[in-house]
Amino acid sequence: MVVKASIIIPVYNAEDTVRRAIDSAVNQTTDEPYEVILIDDGSKDESAAILDEYADRYAYVRVIHQDNQGITRTRENGIKISQGEFVFWVDSDDYADAHLLEKTLPLLESGADVVIYGTQYFCEKGGKADNRIRKNISDATYWKQQALNANLSTIWTYGTRRRFWEGESAPSEVARSAADGYMTIRIFGKAESFHVLPDILYYHLVDSPFSIRHTFNGRRYLGNAFLWYYRLKCSEKQYPENTEACAARAMSGYIKAYAMDTVTHDLTEEDRQNIIKALQDLKRYSISGRIRDKLLGWAILHNQLWLCRIYAQHKNSKTQQMNKKMKKLIKD
């Protein structure tokens, strides 16, 4: 039997939400044959047992158990074993609409390389949901530029051909942060036809305090900086009007990465040397930037790291306070 689509769900310590995610995948209304791939990335809670439960119940569900590798490498492993002609992603604390495949597969089978659909951003404890509907534009150049501008950089907002993913591997700098943006640029770069659906077909949880979004360290900022530096180099060849903005974001990210590392110590010496090289290269661009970033940049290049430590300690303190408040809200 030819498998038309693969829904891939990476899972790590998600026992509280993963059933909702899997239920949304196994209960699709399409008549087309599809598979659901669940990858346990070394979970330490009951997630692995939950995944096995679904695999026993549904013939089209496959489970992979592996040592922890992080979500980026887990996704890449999912692509390697997937069999569907088209690929869709669901995060373990999110869920898909039951009509996701029914509404997107006919468009992909008719020739669209990428189908972009609406997303609802919701909070677990209530609050106003935020619907994100993309402009109904089919021009490929427009969407390639949107990816470079970071206006579309999450892989669960679209479905596409599996062959576009084959052979792709995110650089180590973005493996723990910013891989979505990097991969979207790569995938959109291969696509020639885009279709936009106004329907809300994906639901994204925004208030998880355990998300990478609420972690600020050298590694996370390095990923973001590397991605903006990559966008800068791509823009130089295709959209030179974007270069100044990309250069500013890259510089800010590299400076924050180096500064945070003075406290978190999660970068390698090679990472630090690469940051200094990038900052030297970014001097070629006209960057306005914040006074804070310019001061920290001077401190890095002149080895006055005490200034970086003051910034990093202040940033860590603010982050810890924010996460405590968020966890309390969710607990209450």
Side-chain angles (χ1 to χ4, degrees), residues 49-98:
I50 294 172
L51 305 195
D52 289 337
E53 174 189 325
Y54 277 88
D56 290 340
R57 193 187 311 171
Y58 299 96
Y60 54 95
V61 172
R62 287 197 284 161
V63 174
I64 303 297
H65 297 285
Q66 64 182 34
D67 292 335
N68 182 258
Q69 299 179 35
I71 190 169
T72 299
R73 301 306 176 213
T74 299
R75 285 170 170 168
E76 291 171 1
N77 293 339
I79 288 293
K80 291 175 183 177
I81 66 170
S82 62
Q83 299 176 352
E85 183 178 354
F86 308 106
V87 169
F88 297 81
W89 303 96
V90 175
D91 281 357
S92 59
D93 51 358
D94 299 341
Y95 64 98
D97 188 88

Side-chain angles (χ1 to χ4, degrees), residues 259-314:
M260 291 303 298
D261 180 64
T262 62
V263 171
T264 59
H265 307 295
D266 57 327
L267 299 182
T268 66
E269 182 58 30
E270 182 179 3
D271 290 331
R272 299 183 195 100
Q273 291 304 314
N274 287 338
I275 290 174
I276 292 175
K277 290 178 183 177
L279 290 176
Q280 295 284 9
D281 178 57
L282 287 166
K283 288 181 177 180
R284 299 188 293 113
Y285 301 89
S286 175
I287 302 174
S288 55
R290 297 179 180 178
I291 294 177
R292 180 199 63 197
D293 287 345
K294 289 184 177 181
L295 177 61
L296 290 173
W298 176 89
I300 291 168
L301 295 178
H302 292 82
N303 201 34
Q304 298 296 313
L305 300 186
W306 61 273
L307 281 170
C308 295
R309 281 190 286 272
I310 291 174
Y311 166 78
Q313 289 165 356
H314 175 69

Side-chain angles (χ1 to χ4, degrees), residues 23-58:
D23 286 339
S24 75
V26 300
N27 292 315
Q28 290 292 304
T29 57
T30 182
D31 292 328
E32 298 281 8
Y34 71 97
E35 65 178 358
V36 178
I37 297 177
L38 309 175
I39 308 180
D40 166 37
D41 187 30
S43 297
K44 295 178 175 59
D45 62 2
E46 293 302 310
S47 295
I50 294 172
L51 305 195
D52 289 337
E53 174 189 325
Y54 277 88
D56 290 340
R57 193 187 311 171
Y58 299 96

Side-chain angles (χ1 to χ4, degrees), residues 57-200:
R57 193 187 311 171
Y58 299 96
Y60 54 95
V61 172
R62 287 197 284 161
V63 174
I64 303 297
H65 297 285
Q66 64 182 34
D67 292 335
N68 182 258
Q69 299 179 35
I71 190 169
T72 299
R73 301 306 176 213
T74 299
R75 285 170 170 168
E76 291 171 1
N77 293 339
I79 288 293
K80 291 175 183 177
I81 66 170
S82 62
Q83 299 176 352
E85 183 178 354
F86 308 106
V87 169
F88 297 81
W89 303 96
V90 175
D91 281 357
S92 59
D93 51 358
D94 299 341
Y95 64 98
D97 188 88
H99 303 288
L100 173 64
L101 297 185
E102 179 186 350
K103 292 185 176 182
T104 57
L105 287 182
L107 299 170
L108 290 164
E109 291 181 299
S110 297
D113 289 330
V114 177
V115 174
I116 301 166
Y117 35 84
T119 303
Q120 181 178 106
Y121 289 63
F122 72 96
C123 298
E124 198 74 87
K125 290 294 182 179
K128 184 178 180 180
D130 180 16
N131 292 341
R132 309 279 178 92
I133 307 295
R134 301 291 177 174
K135 293 181 179 180
N136 188 15
I137 297 174
S138 59
D139 179 62
T141 300
Y142 172 83
W143 289 110
K144 294 173 191 289
Q145 192 165 15
Q146 290 296 293
L148 282 175
N149 289 343
N151 291 327
L152 196 158
S153 57
T154 45
I155 64 174
W156 33 257
T157 57
Y158 59 87
T160 189
R161 301 182 184 277
R162 178 168 58 89
R163 61 182 172 84
F164 290 167
W165 290 95
E166 293 176 341
E168 291 288 348
S169 180
S172 60
E173 289 87 346
V174 297
R176 293 283 176 175
S177 172
D180 274 33
Y182 176 86
M183 294 308 304
T184 297
I185 294 171
R186 299 288 299 173
I187 299 305
F188 280 23
K190 299 176 183 181
E192 297 179 358
S193 58
F194 291 76
H195 191 101
V196 180
L197 279 172
D199 310 61
I200 299 294

